[in-house]
Structures are given as C-alpha cells and as structure tokens.
Amino acid sequence: MDYLKTVVPSQLIAERGSNLVVINPGSANVRIGLAPQDTPYDIPHCIARYTNQTPKLNVKDQMLNSQVTTAQHMEREKAYDIIASYLKIPFLDEEVANSSFPRKTGRVDGFNSQSGRKDVPLTWTNVYEKETDFSLASERPTNEGQIGESAEKHGNADAKEASTSKYRKFICGGEALRISPAEPYCLHRPIRRGHLNISQHYSLQQVLEDLHAIWDWILIEKLQLPHSGRNKFAAILVLPETFDNREIKEMISVVLQDLCFSSVVVHQEGIAAIFGNGLSTACVVNIGAQVTSVICIEDGVAVPNTEKTLPFGGEDISRCLLWTQRHHQTWPQFRTDILTKPIDMLMLNRLRESYCEIKEGEVDAIALVQSYEDGMPAGSHKTRLNALNVPPMGLFYPMLFVPDVYPPPPRSWFHDCEDMLEDAWHVEYPRKPDMSDGLYPGFNGLPMWDNYPVFASKPKKEEKIGLAEAITNSILSTGRIDLKRKLFCSIQLIGGVALTHGLISVAEERVLLAIPTNEAIDTVECLIMQTIITLSILTWQHGGLIKGGIFR
C-alpha cells in the first residue's frame, strides 16, 4: 500500500501497463487494446451468426422496424425549412429559380480530396471456411479387382487433399456488416443507442453471449490473448455515461467470469476524455454513431444532474442524407435498404464523412455512390449530391432525423434501485491503524465524493431536445456562476461526428443564443480533439487511479 501511495504513475504504468487491457464500448463500435499501444482496435460492435431458420432475418431486431407517421414526416419537412432559412438555401419544395437568396455553391468535381480511399467499393465477405477432407485419402480398395477401377477414380487423392467449403459459424466486426443478405446469416448488435439491445426478439442471455463472443474474438484474433494466460491480465472498462447500473454489472460479469480477467476497473468515458486532452474541468459532448451524451466535469469529478443523453448521432445524419437525396431525386435508381443491408449504411457513412459539412449557401458534390445487390459486385454511380449541409444540422434540430427506426429498449428492465457503488461505499470496513484517510472508502472526511456520485442510481432518460439546448441546460444546472463561465469556455467535443467541418462555429453560435438573457455569460468556446482518444492517453489518466489505490 505504501508503494501505491508513493509510486509515480508513469513508473507504475511501465511496470504493469503490459498487463492492462482497455475496453471502450461505444454505441456502434468497440475500442479494445493493450495499455502500451498508441491506438486501439476500433471495430464495429456486431456479430453475424449462421442460421438455418426460415423465414430468415438479416438483422436480429429487424422486426422492430417502425414506419414514419404522417405527423413525423411533416415535422421533418418543417425542420428542413427552418434549417434552409438558417443556411440561406431554398426550402424543401422551393424551386431554385424562385429563391430570393444568393446562390452560393461549394461544388466538388470528381473525387473529394478528403475522402482518401473511401470511394473504393466495398466487397462482400467470404462466408466460407476451408476445411481439409482426408476421407478420400484414407479410402483404399479392399481387393485386387478394385484396384484398376479405383485408380482413375481417385487419381492423386493420396498426394492431394480434397478441400470442401462450409459456412463459418459466426463472423465479427466489419466483415459481419458486409455479408450478402442472400447468405444464411443474421446480424446481431448487442448494443444499440447506448444501451444493451434487449427486446422481445433479443433476450438478455443472447445479448451477453454476443458481447462475450465479440470481445473474446478481438482478444484472440487481434491482441493474441488466449484464454490460458488471460488471468494474468487486468481490464479497464471505459464506459459511456449512457449505461445504467444493471448494464454495467452485466458487463463486469462478462469481463471477469467469461473473459477470465483477474480484475476490472470501471471508468467514465467523459472523465477519461478531458484528462486525455490535458484538462480537469470541461463540458464533455460525445457525439457518437447512435447516441450523443453531455456531462459536466469539475476537477476530474462528474457534476451531479448534468448528464444529458440525446438519441441521435452519426448514423442518423447518414439516414437523413439518404432521405434528402431521395426527396431531391438525386439518388440513383437502385435499392438502398439500410435496415436489411448493413453494407448500405457503411456506404452512407462514407459519403457523410467525406462530403457533409456545415456552411451557408448550397453545398453540392459529385460523388461515386455504390449499389450492392445480393452477392453481385458493387456498382458505381457518379451522381451529384446536394443540400449536403442540411443533414448535420439535424444535431440542433432533431425533428429532422425522425425518431429511431427501432423503438427504444424496454426501460423498465434497466431500473435498478441499487447503486453499483452503494454497498462498497457505505459499508463500515475494519480500518487498519496505518491506513490514511485518503484511501479509506468509508471515511466521513470525503464530502466531495459523497456529493459527486460516479453513476446515478436511477435509469437514464433521453432528452428530446437539440444539441445546443442540451449543452446549455447541462452547464446551467451546475448553479455556480464561476463554474458556468468556465464550462461555457471549455466545451469538449469528442467522437467521430465532432470532426464535421463547420460544426464548432455553429455549435458556439447556437449555444450562445440558447443562454438565457438573465445569465451573465457572453463567451462560448468549443474545443475538439483531432483524433480519437488513444489508449496511451487513457492509460496515463488511469495511472492517477492506480496511484490512488483504487486499482489494486
């Protein structure tokens, strides 16, 4: 214990870092890596399992698909027109010739210079595995009369091994998203919208089995960590604030019981983000693929009642991009189905990352759009996409996205009145005479930690507001004017969508407008990490926890 109190974090990481595995599950991807690695493996959080059931579902929760109502469609069109007025572009059904706004066009001919290899068509996954069949080689004629007859039939069976193909039992990660709908596979996503994807079609047991299978596959195939030596490793679960207590407990059980790690530490993603960027106080805005979360951090501790969860992210921008192009009749005439063909969502995400930006005027681009028919090679279609600045503005006007194509998981399941830290926090442990106050969890001299619970004990609620309102409400709920001013000048944007060109300036403007006039605040500043948080930075932050004796 004295060693843990005095050791320098960098020294401890050097000594134990090689035996630390960091697991960071997001809303659509999971990042896993060894602590000494500079960057983690960023892998789609899904698994496709072989199935012979009929009728076959391409996606496990495909039956949950809900249709857009007339009222929702009207709200979407209204949101589009509000955004069009803000961006100074024609309204949804307005002819360009009748527009009173000056025509500003940011047109890209040919390939987008920022897209890199994202214009290269995706390829279908090979769902077969090769197996060597030794049966022919083992067969021998039983009498001399059969020798001549079988010589030509068997040929060189003794010298060559006959190979047969059979379906792989399961396929994980990016390959699972590129399986043809004609193949006998069903795609499972154990996490959706920041929660375990539990429904009447997807039981808790199945979700946890899939979670275990994906993580175990990554550990074996990517990190070369077999089951035999895994008990010598410890895990750090860096979890988004969207998960509820019972979900966290289930994931801890997977790590300890199924993956066979020796110990595990749970850490909040928001806190890891600000320490990774060299800050201790900030409003962390994590814009992920399927969910956006907002939380305020003061001096390395999450401020109570500041957490906001918004049920939209990058994939919703991609869905809106498809809707916008179809409405303007700029989308090629082929079947694009993001519900039953995950490869189409991959293609749309590429287009969104390459071409969507936020700026005034008409933003058009010439892009290659791919079509993926069942088992056929991808077809490329050169087309002009327009209104590319509208979809990302849905972050501030969520009516543009329309509610999720899947209904939310049953929230009653997540209700867990027991705080995951409650028992360990308030139980009166026998105290050693030489144990310092700072290391004694039941000591009454730590009022700060009593006032700043790491995880709330009540189920998380999603907010039906835009990003600017969520940030403003989160910061204003902190109460103190000095802290509010500091947080409004330290809005930390993380996640892949945060790299959208023009997002920072619009976020600063919209947040400033959302602040009530009676608040003495006139400055808003957003910060952004240019890259995803690396595991080396996360480990540096966790070194402080190890030094404090929490990880032991």
CSV table of all heavy atoms in Angstrom, one decimal, residues 257-292:
chain,number,residue,atom,x,y,z
A,257,GLN,N,-16.0,-13.2,-15.4
A,257,GLN,CA,-16.4,-14.6,-15.5
A,257,GLN,C,-16.1,-15.3,-16.9
A,257,GLN,O,-15.6,-16.4,-17.0
A,257,GLN,CB,-17.9,-14.8,-15.1
A,257,GLN,CG,-18.1,-14.4,-13.7
A,257,GLN,CD,-19.6,-14.5,-13.3
A,257,GLN,OE1,-20.4,-15.1,-14.1
A,257,GLN,NE2,-20.0,-14.0,-12.1
A,258,ASP,N,-16.6,-14.6,-17.9
A,258,ASP,CA,-16.5,-15.2,-19.3
A,258,ASP,C,-15.1,-14.9,-19.9
A,258,ASP,O,-14.6,-15.9,-20.5
A,258,ASP,CB,-17.6,-14.6,-20.1
A,258,ASP,CG,-19.0,-14.9,-19.6
A,258,ASP,OD1,-19.1,-16.0,-18.9
A,258,ASP,OD2,-19.9,-14.1,-19.7
A,259,LEU,N,-14.6,-13.7,-19.8
A,259,LEU,CA,-13.3,-13.4,-20.4
A,259,LEU,C,-12.1,-13.8,-19.6
A,259,LEU,O,-11.0,-13.7,-20.0
A,259,LEU,CB,-13.3,-11.9,-20.8
A,259,LEU,CG,-14.3,-11.5,-21.9
A,259,LEU,CD1,-14.2,-10.0,-22.1
A,259,LEU,CD2,-14.2,-12.3,-23.1
A,260,CYS,N,-12.4,-14.1,-18.3
A,260,CYS,CA,-11.4,-14.6,-17.4
A,260,CYS,C,-10.3,-13.6,-17.0
A,260,CYS,O,-9.1,-14.0,-16.8
A,260,CYS,CB,-10.8,-15.9,-17.9
A,260,CYS,SG,-12.0,-17.2,-18.3
A,261,PHE,N,-10.6,-12.3,-16.9
A,261,PHE,CA,-9.6,-11.4,-16.5
A,261,PHE,C,-9.5,-11.5,-15.0
A,261,PHE,O,-10.4,-11.8,-14.3
A,261,PHE,CB,-10.0,-9.9,-16.9
A,261,PHE,CG,-9.7,-9.6,-18.3
A,261,PHE,CD1,-10.6,-9.7,-19.3
A,261,PHE,CD2,-8.4,-9.2,-18.7
A,261,PHE,CE1,-10.4,-9.4,-20.6
A,261,PHE,CE2,-8.1,-8.9,-20.0
A,261,PHE,CZ,-9.1,-9.0,-20.9
A,262,SER,N,-8.3,-11.1,-14.4
A,262,SER,CA,-8.1,-11.2,-13.0
A,262,SER,C,-8.8,-10.1,-12.2
A,262,SER,O,-9.3,-10.4,-11.1
A,262,SER,CB,-6.6,-11.1,-12.7
A,262,SER,OG,-6.1,-9.9,-13.1
A,263,SER,N,-9.0,-9.0,-12.8
A,263,SER,CA,-9.7,-7.9,-12.1
A,263,SER,C,-10.1,-6.9,-13.1
A,263,SER,O,-9.7,-6.9,-14.3
A,263,SER,CB,-8.8,-7.2,-11.0
A,263,SER,OG,-7.6,-6.7,-11.7
A,264,VAL,N,-11.0,-5.9,-12.7
A,264,VAL,CA,-11.5,-5.0,-13.6
A,264,VAL,C,-11.8,-3.6,-12.9
A,264,VAL,O,-12.1,-3.6,-11.7
A,264,VAL,CB,-12.8,-5.5,-14.3
A,264,VAL,CG1,-13.9,-5.7,-13.2
A,264,VAL,CG2,-13.3,-4.5,-15.3
A,265,VAL,N,-11.5,-2.5,-13.6
A,265,VAL,CA,-11.8,-1.2,-13.1
A,265,VAL,C,-12.8,-0.6,-14.0
A,265,VAL,O,-12.6,-0.6,-15.3
A,265,VAL,CB,-10.6,-0.4,-12.9
A,265,VAL,CG1,-10.9,1.1,-12.7
A,265,VAL,CG2,-9.8,-0.8,-11.7
A,266,VAL,N,-13.9,0.1,-13.5
A,266,VAL,CA,-14.8,0.8,-14.4
A,266,VAL,C,-14.5,2.3,-14.3
A,266,VAL,O,-14.3,2.8,-13.2
A,266,VAL,CB,-16.3,0.5,-13.9
A,266,VAL,CG1,-17.3,1.3,-14.8
A,266,VAL,CG2,-16.6,-1.0,-14.0
A,267,HIS,N,-14.5,2.9,-15.5
A,267,HIS,CA,-14.1,4.3,-15.5
A,267,HIS,C,-15.1,5.0,-16.5
A,267,HIS,O,-15.5,4.5,-17.5
A,267,HIS,CB,-12.7,4.5,-16.0
A,267,HIS,CG,-12.1,5.9,-15.7
A,267,HIS,ND1,-12.6,6.7,-14.8
A,267,HIS,CD2,-11.2,6.6,-16.4
A,267,HIS,CE1,-12.0,7.9,-14.8
A,267,HIS,NE2,-11.1,7.8,-15.8
A,268,GLN,N,-15.4,6.3,-16.2
A,268,GLN,CA,-16.3,7.0,-17.1
A,268,GLN,C,-15.6,7.6,-18.3
A,268,GLN,O,-14.4,8.1,-18.2
A,268,GLN,CB,-16.9,8.2,-16.3
A,268,GLN,CG,-18.0,7.8,-15.4
A,268,GLN,CD,-18.6,9.0,-14.6
A,268,GLN,OE1,-18.0,9.4,-13.6
A,268,GLN,NE2,-19.7,9.5,-15.1
A,269,GLU,N,-16.2,7.5,-19.4
A,269,GLU,CA,-15.6,7.9,-20.7
A,269,GLU,C,-15.4,9.5,-20.7
A,269,GLU,O,-14.4,9.9,-21.2
A,269,GLU,CB,-16.5,7.5,-21.9
A,269,GLU,CG,-15.9,7.7,-23.2
A,269,GLU,CD,-16.8,7.2,-24.3
A,269,GLU,OE1,-17.9,7.7,-24.4
A,269,GLU,OE2,-16.4,6.4,-25.1
A,270,GLY,N,-16.4,10.2,-20.1
A,270,GLY,CA,-16.2,11.7,-20.1
A,270,GLY,C,-15.0,12.1,-19.4
A,270,GLY,O,-14.3,13.0,-19.8
A,271,ILE,N,-14.8,11.5,-18.2
A,271,ILE,CA,-13.6,11.9,-17.4
A,271,ILE,C,-12.3,11.5,-18.1
A,271,ILE,O,-11.4,12.3,-18.1
A,271,ILE,CB,-13.7,11.2,-16.0
A,271,ILE,CG1,-14.9,11.7,-15.2
A,271,ILE,CG2,-12.4,11.5,-15.2
A,271,ILE,CD1,-15.1,11.1,-13.9
A,272,ALA,N,-12.3,10.3,-18.7
A,272,ALA,CA,-11.1,9.9,-19.5
A,272,ALA,C,-10.9,10.9,-20.6
A,272,ALA,O,-9.7,11.2,-20.9
A,272,ALA,CB,-11.3,8.5,-20.0
A,273,ALA,N,-11.9,11.4,-21.2
A,273,ALA,CA,-11.7,12.3,-22.4
A,273,ALA,C,-11.0,13.6,-22.0
A,273,ALA,O,-10.1,14.1,-22.7
A,273,ALA,CB,-13.1,12.6,-23.0
A,274,ILE,N,-11.5,14.2,-20.9
A,274,ILE,CA,-10.9,15.5,-20.5
A,274,ILE,C,-9.5,15.4,-20.0
A,274,ILE,O,-8.6,16.2,-20.3
A,274,ILE,CB,-11.7,16.3,-19.5
A,274,ILE,CG1,-11.8,15.6,-18.2
A,274,ILE,CG2,-13.1,16.5,-20.0
A,274,ILE,CD1,-12.3,16.4,-17.0
A,275,PHE,N,-9.2,14.3,-19.3
A,275,PHE,CA,-7.8,14.1,-18.8
A,275,PHE,C,-6.9,13.8,-20.0
A,275,PHE,O,-5.8,14.2,-20.1
A,275,PHE,CB,-7.7,13.0,-17.8
A,275,PHE,CG,-8.1,13.4,-16.4
A,275,PHE,CD1,-9.2,13.0,-15.8
A,275,PHE,CD2,-7.2,14.3,-15.7
A,275,PHE,CE1,-9.5,13.4,-14.5
A,275,PHE,CE2,-7.5,14.7,-14.4
A,275,PHE,CZ,-8.6,14.3,-13.8
A,276,GLY,N,-7.5,13.0,-21.0
A,276,GLY,CA,-6.7,12.7,-22.2
A,276,GLY,C,-6.4,14.0,-23.0
A,276,GLY,O,-5.4,14.0,-23.8
A,277,ASN,N,-7.1,15.0,-22.8
A,277,ASN,CA,-6.9,16.3,-23.5
A,277,ASN,C,-6.2,17.3,-22.6
A,277,ASN,O,-6.1,18.5,-23.0
A,277,ASN,CB,-8.2,16.9,-24.1
A,277,ASN,CG,-7.9,17.8,-25.3
A,277,ASN,OD1,-7.0,17.6,-26.0
A,277,ASN,ND2,-8.8,18.7,-25.5
A,278,GLY,N,-5.7,16.9,-21.5
A,278,GLY,CA,-5.0,17.7,-20.6
A,278,GLY,C,-5.8,18.7,-19.8
A,278,GLY,O,-5.3,19.7,-19.3
A,279,LEU,N,-7.1,18.4,-19.6
A,279,LEU,CA,-8.0,19.3,-18.8
A,279,LEU,C,-8.5,18.5,-17.6
A,279,LEU,O,-8.4,17.3,-17.4
A,279,LEU,CB,-9.2,19.7,-19.7
A,279,LEU,CG,-8.9,20.4,-21.0
A,279,LEU,CD1,-10.2,20.5,-21.8
A,279,LEU,CD2,-8.3,21.7,-20.8
A,280,SER,N,-9.0,19.3,-16.6
A,280,SER,CA,-9.6,18.7,-15.5
A,280,SER,C,-11.1,19.2,-15.3
A,280,SER,O,-11.9,18.6,-14.6
A,280,SER,CB,-8.8,19.1,-14.2
A,280,SER,OG,-8.8,20.5,-14.0
A,281,THR,N,-11.5,20.3,-16.0
A,281,THR,CA,-12.8,20.8,-15.9
A,281,THR,C,-13.3,21.1,-17.3
A,281,THR,O,-12.6,21.8,-18.1
A,281,THR,CB,-12.9,22.1,-15.0
A,281,THR,OG1,-12.5,21.8,-13.7
A,281,THR,CG2,-14.3,22.6,-15.0
A,282,ALA,N,-14.4,20.6,-17.7
A,282,ALA,CA,-15.0,20.8,-19.0
A,282,ALA,C,-16.4,20.3,-19.1
A,282,ALA,O,-16.8,19.4,-18.3
A,282,ALA,CB,-14.1,20.2,-20.1
A,283,CYS,N,-17.1,20.7,-20.1
A,283,CYS,CA,-18.4,20.1,-20.5
A,283,CYS,C,-18.1,19.2,-21.7
A,283,CYS,O,-17.8,19.6,-22.8
A,283,CYS,CB,-19.4,21.2,-20.9
A,283,CYS,SG,-21.0,20.5,-21.5
A,284,VAL,N,-18.2,17.9,-21.5
A,284,VAL,CA,-17.9,16.9,-22.5
A,284,VAL,C,-19.1,16.5,-23.3
A,284,VAL,O,-20.1,16.1,-22.8
A,284,VAL,CB,-17.3,15.6,-21.8
A,284,VAL,CG1,-16.9,14.6,-22.9
A,284,VAL,CG2,-16.1,16.0,-20.9
A,285,VAL,N,-18.9,16.7,-24.6
A,285,VAL,CA,-20.0,16.4,-25.6
A,285,VAL,C,-19.5,15.3,-26.5
A,285,VAL,O,-18.7,15.5,-27.3
A,285,VAL,CB,-20.4,17.7,-26.4
A,285,VAL,CG1,-21.6,17.3,-27.3
A,285,VAL,CG2,-20.8,18.8,-25.4
A,286,ASN,N,-20.0,14.1,-26.3
A,286,ASN,CA,-19.6,12.9,-27.0
A,286,ASN,C,-20.6,12.6,-28.1
A,286,ASN,O,-21.7,12.1,-27.8
A,286,ASN,CB,-19.4,11.7,-26.1
A,286,ASN,CG,-18.8,10.6,-26.8
A,286,ASN,OD1,-18.6,10.6,-28.0
A,286,ASN,ND2,-18.5,9.5,-26.1
A,287,ILE,N,-20.3,12.9,-29.4
A,287,ILE,CA,-21.2,12.7,-30.5
A,287,ILE,C,-20.8,11.4,-31.2
A,287,ILE,O,-19.9,11.4,-32.0
A,287,ILE,CB,-21.2,13.9,-31.5
A,287,ILE,CG1,-21.3,15.2,-30.8
A,287,ILE,CG2,-22.4,13.7,-32.5
A,287,ILE,CD1,-21.2,16.4,-31.7
A,288,GLY,N,-21.5,10.3,-30.8
A,288,GLY,CA,-21.1,9.0,-31.3
A,288,GLY,C,-22.0,8.7,-32.6
A,288,GLY,O,-22.6,9.5,-33.2
A,289,ALA,N,-22.0,7.4,-32.9
A,289,ALA,CA,-22.7,6.9,-34.1
A,289,ALA,C,-24.2,6.9,-33.9
A,289,ALA,O,-24.9,7.2,-34.8
A,289,ALA,CB,-22.1,5.5,-34.5
A,290,GLN,N,-24.6,6.5,-32.7
A,290,GLN,CA,-26.1,6.3,-32.5
A,290,GLN,C,-26.6,7.2,-31.3
A,290,GLN,O,-27.8,7.3,-31.1
A,290,GLN,CB,-26.4,4.9,-32.2
A,290,GLN,CG,-26.0,3.9,-33.3
A,290,GLN,CD,-26.3,2.5,-33.0
A,290,GLN,OE1,-26.7,2.2,-31.9
A,290,GLN,NE2,-26.1,1.6,-34.0
A,291,VAL,N,-25.7,7.8,-30.5
A,291,VAL,CA,-26.2,8.5,-29.4
A,291,VAL,C,-25.2,9.6,-29.1
A,291,VAL,O,-24.0,9.5,-29.4
A,291,VAL,CB,-26.3,7.6,-28.1
A,291,VAL,CG1,-25.0,7.1,-27.6
A,291,VAL,CG2,-27.1,8.2,-27.0
A,292,THR,N,-25.7,10.7,-28.5
A,292,THR,CA,-24.9,11.9,-28.1
A,292,THR,C,-25.1,12.1,-26.6
A,292,THR,O,-26.3,12.1,-26.1
A,292,THR,CB,-25.3,13.1,-28.9
A,292,THR,OG1,-25.1,12.9,-30.3
A,292,THR,CG2,-24.5,14.3,-28.4
